[in-house]
Amino acid sequence: MKILKFVALISLVAALGFNYLQRLKPQGEEADLAREKKALSVVMPGEGISFSDKKGRFPLYEAYRIDPAGKRQLVGICFTTTDLVPEERGYAGPIKIMLGLDPAGKITGLEILEHTETPSYVEEIYEPSFKDQFKGKGINDPLEIGYDLDGITRATITSEAIARSIKKGVLQAAGDRLGLKPKAHAAPKYQPGRIIINLAGLAALFLVALTGFLIPKKWLRYLALAFALIFLGFIKNSPLSTVNIVNIITYHLPLLIYNPFFYLLIGFILVTTLLWGRIYCGFFCPFGAIQEFISKWKKSLPAMGKGIRQAKYFLLWAALMSALLIDNANVAGIEPFNTLFSRTGGKFHWILLGIVLIAALFDFRFWCKYLCPVGVVLGLCSRLSLFRFGSRGDCGSCRLCVEECKVQAIEKTGATVKVNPVECIACNECRIVCPKGIIGLRIADCRFRIRKIGVVHRVGHWINFVVVKLARHYGRASSATTSKQIWSSAIGRNDEQGRKINPKSKIRNPKSEKRWLSFLLFVGSLTLMLLILGENIYQSQRPPAPKYPVVNVEAVKERIKDAGLSPREAMYYKVIRGNQSD
């Protein structure tokens, strides 16, 4: 097992290095130019229009039409937003848009060429209802979502980034090539009202979640979960996903000024995880909340073996490797909650969502325990948490905490309770049911952890000195007890007398009923997730082709005949558009 972990870690590091080197290399410029030239006839429609090569201080295409005198007449310009305003970014990176402008600075058309947003969230940006609202607008129009443009409900950040890119690109191109200047009031306004409302909602969620964690009351926790399900799930559609993790490690991040919600959410999750463990999973994960509410309808059966939980490590590794090697974070989007909260997805996505929700009826938090890649990342971070759950003394033969822990994160080692921080979701159930009240948060093995993560040894020495003094002062240890015995007892390696505990004496859960239904649902879910991953990889290699207009060949031939041009002259002036040039 250690060899497999080592190989997995080395392969991920190698994939991350490969991803970084690939981004340093110039990408397929010829393919990009070919895609741009195909889109020119879409954004600048009309008969007899020809286009120049990309040129100028700000690279753009010029569109011409042959007048009756045989001279070329400028009818507009075309450009891509990434050439003129490369600093503008969507949720996961730049969005490449081809735009056409007429001589009056009015938009004649647009086409989305490339983006790295989550496909299931931004499908509507390809719809005519979204793109057509930009046509006819120009340098004197606000071009702002919520003012003269309608955004996308589940992709507000993306639609706002598109509007900003188009507005800035239009102003820059019209001023540089067409010599047009906007009116003084036409500059886009930064309206922080919606952002403040979102941040206030997120802060309220954090407050309820932290209150429910620090004050172990079930109703507070259920209130936090319900709030997270409604606000973070169905309203904001912003649960932490594998795509977010890939974007973070590859530094594909949105702009802070336009998306402080993302940074506040990620920062809070990281801080709480390093302090107390997987509070996100236990208190404000929207998909975990809906599974937990579903499980209330039916009494859960005994859980499957813990060896099956290794599957989520494999899924995380496969998703990260695929996304890094292909350099597309959307490949890692294999979670069913994207389908639930966005209400979009393929047939495999909907089937997977149905299986997981059905399994939640019989197995408490089925997805969280066996398949969630995000839970793996947070669980590994929890190994470095400052405070952990555990017993502060001898709890005797009571097993209420073991039986109450529905994620099977607690084991009894002799008379001491040991909580696995990787699996614990910090739900406080063990603290609530403990009759002696000795289960709670305690400082983890700081000295050993500090040495592992490379902090100066002297800091560990002073922490050790303070902890030992406090333990002796409050009667947790006698003056004859050594610091090694205090630390070993605190982390559960020895009993209170400093004697080594035999690991073979662990008491197992007596419930050993076979879970054939859960196992079949697990196999089905795992298979579907691998199919979705394969489908994402396939789709990432075949980006959706834009819908170009079909050329009416007969009408073009009639126009050539009326103009008195030979086919060679028509091809020279690029009168015939598209591939049907014969």
Side-chain angles (χ1 to χ4, degrees), residues 352-408:
L352 174 62
L353 175 62
I355 290 178
V356 170
L357 294 182
I358 291 173
L361 278 171
F362 308 101
D363 201 333
F364 180 82
R365 288 206 177 210
F366 174 85
W367 168 261
C368 306
K369 289 193 293 188
Y370 306 120
L371 297 169
C372 182
V374 175
V376 174
V377 176
L378 297 179
L380 295 176
C381 293
S382 296
R383 300 186 68 175
L384 298 175
S385 60
L386 180 61
F387 298 95
R388 297 181 187 174
F389 285 96
S391 60
R392 294 188 287 264
D394 186 358
C395 63
S397 59
C398 174
R399 295 182 52 83
L400 286 177
C401 58
V402 178
E403 296 175 358
E404 188 65 25
C405 183
K406 297 179 181 179
V407 294
Q408 291 78 46

Side-chain angles (χ1 to χ4, degrees), residues 192-208 227 231 261 264:
R194 182 186 55 82
I195 295 178
I196 293 175
I197 293 174
N198 289 334
L199 294 181
L202 191 60
L205 174 60
F206 292 163
L207 179 61
V208 174
F227 192 177
F231 177 72
F261 183 93
L264 184 59

Side-chain angles (χ1 to χ4, degrees), residues 288-333:
I290 196 170
Q291 290 181 90
E292 195 158 334
F293 293 147
I294 288 175
S295 67
K296 296 294 181 183
W297 295 351
K298 183 178 178 61
K299 185 177 180 180
S300 298
L301 298 176
M304 293 186 290
K306 295 185 178 180
I308 296 180
R309 302 189 182 197
Q310 303 301 317
K312 56 188 177 184
Y313 292 86
F314 169 73
L315 288 172
L316 175 65
W317 176 83
L320 291 181
M321 287 291 294
S322 303
L324 292 174
L325 292 177
I326 299 175
D327 193 20
N328 189 341
N330 298 323
V331 172

Side-chain angles (χ1 to χ4, degrees), residues 213 272-279 379-392 417-422 424 426 428 430-431 438-450 452-453 490-493:
F213 174 72
T272 54
T273 302
L274 293 178
L275 281 177
W276 299 295
R278 294 169 58 181
I279 292 183
L380 295 176
C381 293
S382 296
R383 300 186 68 175
L384 298 175
S385 60
L386 180 61
F387 298 95
R388 297 181 187 174
F389 285 96
S391 60
R392 294 188 287 264
V417 172
K418 184 177 181 181
V419 181
N420 183 1
V422 179
C424 176
N428 277 335
C430 55
R431 298 173 65 187
I438 62 174
I439 295 181
L441 293 170
R442 58 178 178 81
I443 298 179
D445 48 334
C446 300
R447 186 179 64 169
F448 299 104
R449 184 174 66 255
I450 287 173
K452 288 180 181 179
I453 62 178
I491 63 176
R493 296 183 178 181

Side-chain angles (χ1 to χ4, degrees), residues 562-578:
D562 294 341
L565 299 176
S566 66
R568 184 179 296 277
E569 291 173 327
M571 290 298 296
Y572 176 76
Y573 289 114
K574 299 181 181 180
V575 173
I576 301 177
R577 309 299 307 163

Side-chain angles (χ1 to χ4, degrees), residues 215-236:
I215 303 175
K217 299 291 183 180
K218 285 188 177 182
W219 69 270
L220 280 173
R221 178 167 173 269
Y222 291 144
L223 177 62
L225 288 175
F227 192 177
L229 177 62
I230 296 172
F231 177 72
L232 205 59
F234 290 108
I235 295 179
K236 291 300 297 178

